[in-house]
Amino acid sequence: MSSPIAPPLQAAPAISLKNLRVSYGDREILHGVSFDVQQGETLVILGGSGSGKSTLLRTLVGLERPTSGEIWIKGKNLATISDEELDTLRRHMGMSFQGGALFGSMTVGENVALPLREHTKLEDPTIEIMLRLKLDQVGLSGYEDYYPSQLSGGMKKRAAVARALAMDPEILFFDEPSAGLDPIIAAGIDELIIELKKAFHMTIIVVTHELASAFLIADRMVLINKGEVVALGTPEEMKNSPHPRVRQFLDRIPEPAVSQELDYLQMLTEERHGQRR
Amino acid sequence: MELAVQIGQSVLNSLAYLGSLATLTARAGYYTVIAPFQGKPVRFQRAITQAMQVGVRCIPILSLITFFIGLILALQAAYELKKFGAINFVASAVAISMSRELGPLITAVVVIGRSGSSFAAEIGTMKVTEELDALETMAINPVQFLVTPKFIAMAVMLPCLTIWANAMGVLGGSIFGVTKAGFTFTSYINATTDALFLRDIVSGLIKSFMFGLTITAVGCQEGLTTGAGAEQVGRSTTSAVVVSIFLVILVDLVFTAIFYFLGGQ
């Protein structure tokens, strides 16, 4: 089950993107994104609203199909994979959604146990034990019988992480883990991600626009802007980067007002052109 | 010219929509009939929960409505039959129109209001809150997990409800029959059973089975194609009800015509 051409330099990357392009209808969101994610590293994908970072994440978990390019995960190319192979691959991946996406009609316990019940032949008592273990790992012991609607925002996120962990994934994805949480609860979620990293050496991919949390958890970070990779590097490298876009993002400088009439004209015509395509 | 293009476009859209309903029904059929032999078991527990919801909980309101419909039918039929001195035909008039037409149709309308709309709202909300995406990332197929149990529940429960509705309609008619048309309760029931042939009941049940598939397909399809945002869930729910009622009437027409021409030979 390995790809025919393995890069000889080091251990194969957990995820490898090659010139990835994704479109919704006529509109191209990602214009050729390439980078590798190493085994066991925490990569933070940074970017503003509409930068394409969420689309990138959705593509990585197979919710969107690329229009061209390659995504290699565990020797499979997500661009050409069959539905059945994708389902097999997904048992090695866990995703924690922005709003939690817990099933409202099921208790927290049933939510976390769902992947186990669907994909394993474990007996109920075993599932019960694994369920308690997962809930304990995210600090939600004793909340099995609560419904998602009875939990606070932070607890919902933790429950969602427990569900993502249920199948002991090798790669864990987070969509905006601290969005909509107060700073203390958000710090708790950051702490949780760091603990998971230490405990399981999982490959973790986090999409966020929260700078403080990004610098806390990242081994490496990648800045996406308008569907392209602007910069990729360790938090140190990013901090010292002279790249104007990186500086603008990290120093929180607002988008400059359009001053030059020619630029303005160009912007208008470019956009027109983009829409016609 | 403009008009022709618009008409053509909307015909194409309608056909595409019907196609999507057929595809969804076929996929649910695959997960019910073929997939169990490929190691993907049917979720009977979920189907039973759904059947409770769409079937058993529907009985009180359905009983009341069809009881009244039976009574109304008796009154309307008697108005005309009285002129010919044939008021004792009221029992067969109620029995046949209930079992061939109004039993299945009224049941379908009640179920659309209760369940068709709630399917769209439930699945639509799950779409908006990314729960459908979450199912997919857990390698659980939403059609297998959510939609198929609803199809099974509806395909089984709608004919059952229709039988019940027929009985309640006859009961409603008997109130008039006993009080105003000189029947005793026993003689009314005897007149009813004499008037009914098995094909009257079976044709109604086949229709109600088709109604069940139609309502589920529309409700689930509207839910699955809900756009982003809470107001879109409302829009899906409304159009699930409107489209279901329209399509149920259409299916009714097609099958009534088929039974008419089959029975005529």
Side-chain angles (χ1 to χ4, degrees):
Chain A
M1 287 290 158
S2 62
S3 58
I5 315 148
L9 294 171
Q10 48 183 325
I15 303 174
S16 183
L17 307 185
K18 288 178 186 139
N19 201 22
L20 177 71
R21 289 173 183 273
V22 181
S23 310
Y24 290 136
D26 294 342
R27 212 154 57 93
E28 189 171 85
I29 311 289
L30 296 177
H31 320 287
V33 171
S34 306
F35 62 82
D36 287 353
V37 185
Q38 303 305 327
Q39 300 273 5
E41 99 172 319
T42 302
L43 181 85
V44 172
I45 301 173
L46 281 172
S49 312
S51 60
K53 61 184 194 304
S54 296
T55 306
L56 178 56
L57 188 71
R58 289 176 63 82
T59 314
L60 286 177
V61 296
L63 288 171
E64 308 290 342
R65 287 273 171 146
T67 36
S68 73
E70 300 167 11
I71 309 173
W72 291 94
I73 300 179
K74 286 176 74 70
K76 303 277 183 201
N77 184 359
L78 253 58
T80 56
I81 199 168
S82 73
D83 286 349
E84 272 145 39
E85 282 180 318
L86 181 59
D87 276 352
T88 314
L89 191 60
R90 275 171 166 162
R91 295 178 197 185
H92 305 283
M93 310 198 298
M95 166 100 174
S96 155
F97 284 85
Q98 187 172 348
L102 298 166
F103 304 118
S105 56
M106 303 182 190
T107 65
V108 170
E110 286 165 346
N111 264 286
V112 178
L114 181 66
L116 296 170
R117 287 195 203 286
E118 290 294 314
H119 298 311
T120 68
K121 292 193 165 28
L122 296 174
E123 301 286 328
D124 275 357
T126 320
I127 289 182
E128 191 80 6
I129 293 168
M130 293 192 63
L131 158 66
R132 291 210 193 116
L133 186 71
K134 301 295 170 195
L135 284 178
D136 190 45
Q137 276 166 3
V138 299
L140 276 184
S141 297
Y143 283 95
E144 290 97 311
D145 297 331
Y146 282 68
Y147 281 91
S149 55
Q150 298 169 301
L151 300 184
S152 70
M155 287 156 95
K156 270 185 206 159
K157 293 244 161 124
R158 285 174 185 271
V161 176
R163 190 177 64 184
L165 286 173
M167 293 289 287
D168 294 319
E170 293 165 36
I171 309 173
L172 196 54
F173 296 89
F174 287 90
D175 189 10
E176 302 276 3
S178 39
L181 300 180
D182 72 53
I184 298 169
I185 305 285
I189 300 284
D190 291 344
E191 193 88 340
L192 174 65
I193 296 175
I194 294 169
E195 274 170 25
L196 291 175
K197 178 163 99 177
K198 277 188 196 151
F200 301 106
H201 303 290
M202 268 183 285
T203 308
I204 299 178
I205 310 229
V206 182
V207 161
T208 187
H209 58 254
E210 303 272 334
L211 288 174
S213 112
F215 276 99
L216 200 62
I217 58 182
D219 292 327
R220 285 199 305 156
M221 37 191 24
V222 53
L223 178 65
I224 306 279
N225 184 50
K226 292 187 179 156
E228 282 166 357
V229 172
V230 177
L232 174 68
T234 62
E236 262 328 287
E237 286 167 355
M238 292 296 254
K239 263 182 205 159
N240 302 325
S241 168
H243 192 291
R245 262 288 162 189
V246 180
R247 293 267 50 89
Q248 189 196 4
F249 196 83
L250 297 191
D251 302 340
R252 309 174 68 156
I253 299 166
E255 200 71 46
V258 183
S259 52
Q260 299 288 323
E261 280 172 31
L262 261 180
D263 284 354
Y264 186 61
L265 196 64
Q266 192 186 357
M267 192 188 82
L268 289 179
T269 49
E270 263 177 11
E271 227 152 75
R272 262 296 172 73
H273 180 70
Q275 278 173 356
R276 281 229 182 107
R277 244 181 343 127
Chain B
M1 191 59 208
E2 190 87 332
L3 185 71
V5 169
Q6 274 179 12
I7 292 173
Q9 194 62 48
S10 55
V11 167
L12 282 181
N13 288 346
S14 312
L15 286 178
Y17 185 80
L18 289 182
S20 70
L21 295 184
T23 312
L24 190 65
T25 313
R27 287 176 68 193
Y30 163 79
Y31 284 118
T32 312
V33 182
I34 299 169
F37 296 103
Q38 300 172 341
K40 296 176 194 159
V42 177
R43 278 139 239 273
F44 281 115
Q45 193 51 52
R46 293 181 70 82
I48 290 167
T49 315
Q50 287 291 337
M52 282 294 288
Q53 190 60 37
V54 302
V56 179
R57 307 246 161 84
C58 183
I59 284 178
I61 183 71
L62 181 70
S63 305
L64 200 60
I65 290 175
T66 46
F67 181 85
F68 289 155
I69 293 282
L71 191 49
I72 292 167
L73 272 178
L75 288 165
Q76 295 283 27
Y79 174 75
E80 197 67 7
L81 288 171
K82 207 160 56 180
K83 293 179 190 164
F84 304 101
I87 201 157
N88 52 333
F89 278 103
V90 97
S92 51
V94 170
I96 288 174
S97 44
M98 270 319 277
S99 60
R100 287 187 72 98
E101 183 58 48
L102 281 168
L105 193 62
I106 297 292
T107 309
V109 171
V110 173
V111 169
I112 288 170
R114 284 189 81 256
S115 303
S117 58
S118 84
F119 289 174
E122 178 195 335
I123 297 180
T125 307
M126 292 183 76
K127 166 108 187 221
V128 170
T129 56
E130 292 186 306
E131 287 169 52
L132 291 184
D133 289 339
L135 275 177
E136 283 203 38
T137 59
M138 287 189 272
I140 299 170
N141 186 316
V143 174
Q144 185 190 13
F145 187 75
L146 288 174
V147 175
T148 305
K150 294 191 192 331
F151 267 103
I152 296 174
M154 290 283 266
V156 173
M157 289 318 282
L158 224 64
C160 296
L161 286 174
T162 300
I163 293 176
W164 182 262
N166 292 343
M168 292 309 289
V170 167
L171 200 63
S174 74
I175 299 293
F176 177 83
V178 170
T179 53
K180 291 285 173 201
F183 283 99
T184 64
F185 185 71
T186 324
S187 68
Y188 187 90
I189 298 297
N190 283 341
T192 300
T193 48
D194 286 348
L196 279 179
F197 289 97
L198 190 59
R199 67 161 183 268
D200 297 324
I201 297 173
V202 170
S203 71
L205 293 186
I206 292 174
K207 278 204 272 188
S208 72
F209 174 80
M210 295 309 293
F211 294 166
L213 297 187
T214 308
I215 298 166
T216 322
V218 174
C220 294
Q221 180 66 20
E222 289 295 330
L224 290 170
T225 52
T226 301
E231 75 277 13
Q232 293 296 322
V233 178
R235 197 206 57 81
S236 294
T237 311
T238 310
S239 76
V241 172
V242 176
V243 173
S244 294
I245 290 180
F246 174 73
L247 285 182
V248 158
I249 303 274
L250 198 65
V251 170
D252 192 1
L253 173 62
V254 169
F255 275 81
T256 307
I258 290 174
F259 292 137
Y260 176 79
F261 290 113
L262 281 185
Q265 283 164 1

